[in-house]
Amino acid sequence: MIKQVYLTLFCAMLSSTVGSFLHLIWEAGGFFTVIISAASILSLYLTPAMKVKKRVLYLMIAAYSLGASVGLLTEYNFGIDQGFVFSFLGGTTIGFGTFWFGAMFTRQRIDLYIGCLLHSYAFMYLWFVTASDIFGGHTTRWMIKVLAVLALYMGYFVIYSQEILYNARYGDVNFVNCTFTVFFHLPAIVVHAARVYLVAEIEHYRQN
């Protein structure tokens, strides 16, 4: 069951990252994607639990629409371009992908959590370095602060994984709902990371 949650969450994050990338190159996000994301979330809750494929489809549509729309929020409120949002979502996708890949080969929970956490931090740092070369503007201080934010988010994910495993013993697990619970916290994390980015930019401007 935990593998299904990791896989579904990775696919949802990948959909969100694709939506963010399409907004970056084609400005795909807008009022329409906001409406689509709200309608998809509503449809997800109204769809019976036994219709798993339909609920997964609604989740992926909501993830894509949120990824394409969240850049509008950060740009309007913080004046931050879409390149930052894409970099952040891409790093988060890599982190969850690391957990999913590790869950396929590791059964020991301690090895899974510690190993995947360390590897995900390393991979996310490499991603931010690469994204900084492509999009520019990512200072070392910014990357350290954003990695700290992601570290807290991934730590929460590990703790929530324990809750999933505990509920799985009693058969009380819906992997779509579990995925949405983790994914629903992401917009707040993105906004907080945007604030970190803005503070780092202000400090960099003052120093120059």
Side-chain angles (χ1 to χ4, degrees):
M1 180 58 68
I2 195 68
K3 294 180 182 179
Q4 286 183 309
V5 176
Y6 288 165
L7 175 59
T8 310
L9 185 56
F10 170 69
C11 292
M13 281 305 311
L14 185 61
S15 299
S16 184
T17 304
V18 170
S20 178
F21 179 72
L22 292 180
H23 181 66
L24 175 64
I25 60 176
W26 289 330
E27 295 186 355
F31 181 74
F32 178 73
T33 56
V34 174
I35 296 299
I36 290 296
S37 62
S40 300
I41 293 173
L42 180 62
S43 300
L44 175 64
Y45 273 102
L46 294 179
T47 303
M50 67 282 300
K51 297 183 178 180
V52 178
K53 293 183 179 180
K54 184 177 291 187
R55 300 188 80 229
V56 170
L57 177 61
Y58 287 141
L59 177 62
M60 297 305 156
I61 294 174
Y64 168 82
S65 302
L66 286 172
S69 305
V70 70
L72 301 174
L73 176 65
T74 57
E75 184 176 2
Y76 179 78
N77 290 323
F78 303 104
I80 297 174
D81 59 14
Q82 183 66 18
F84 159 79
V85 178
F86 173 69
S87 300
F88 186 85
L89 292 179
T92 310
T93 303
I94 292 172
F96 288 135
T98 304
F99 271 87
W100 169 59
F101 186 79
M104 292 192 299
F105 299 99
T106 306
R107 292 185 176 273
Q108 296 293 330
R109 281 181 287 176
I110 296 179
D111 296 338
L112 173 64
Y113 295 152
I114 296 178
C116 289
L117 275 177
L118 295 177
H119 282 88
S120 64
Y121 294 157
F123 291 148
M124 285 188 293
Y125 178 77
L126 292 175
W127 163 253
F128 282 129
V129 171
T130 304
S132 178
D133 294 336
I134 297 174
F135 301 107
H138 297 351
T139 62
T140 303
R141 179 179 297 181
W142 175 84
M143 286 190 290
I144 293 175
K145 289 183 178 180
V146 171
L147 279 173
V149 173
L150 279 177
L152 293 175
Y153 185 50
M154 300 304 291
Y156 154 76
F157 178 59
V158 168
I159 296 174
Y160 186 66
S161 297
Q162 287 292 101
E163 182 180 344
I164 295 173
L165 291 174
Y166 177 79
N167 293 333
R169 296 178 181 177
Y170 303 97
D172 185 23
V173 172
N174 185 308
F175 71 92
V176 179
N177 290 344
C178 293
T179 301
F180 185 76
T181 299
V182 178
F183 186 80
F184 188 74
H185 291 81
L186 186 63
I189 302 297
V190 173
V191 171
H192 182 66
R195 292 178 57 195
V196 170
Y197 176 87
L198 187 62
V199 171
E201 286 293 308
I202 293 175
E203 292 179 356
H204 181 71
Y205 177 78
R206 289 177 177 176
Q207 291 176 357
N208 295 333

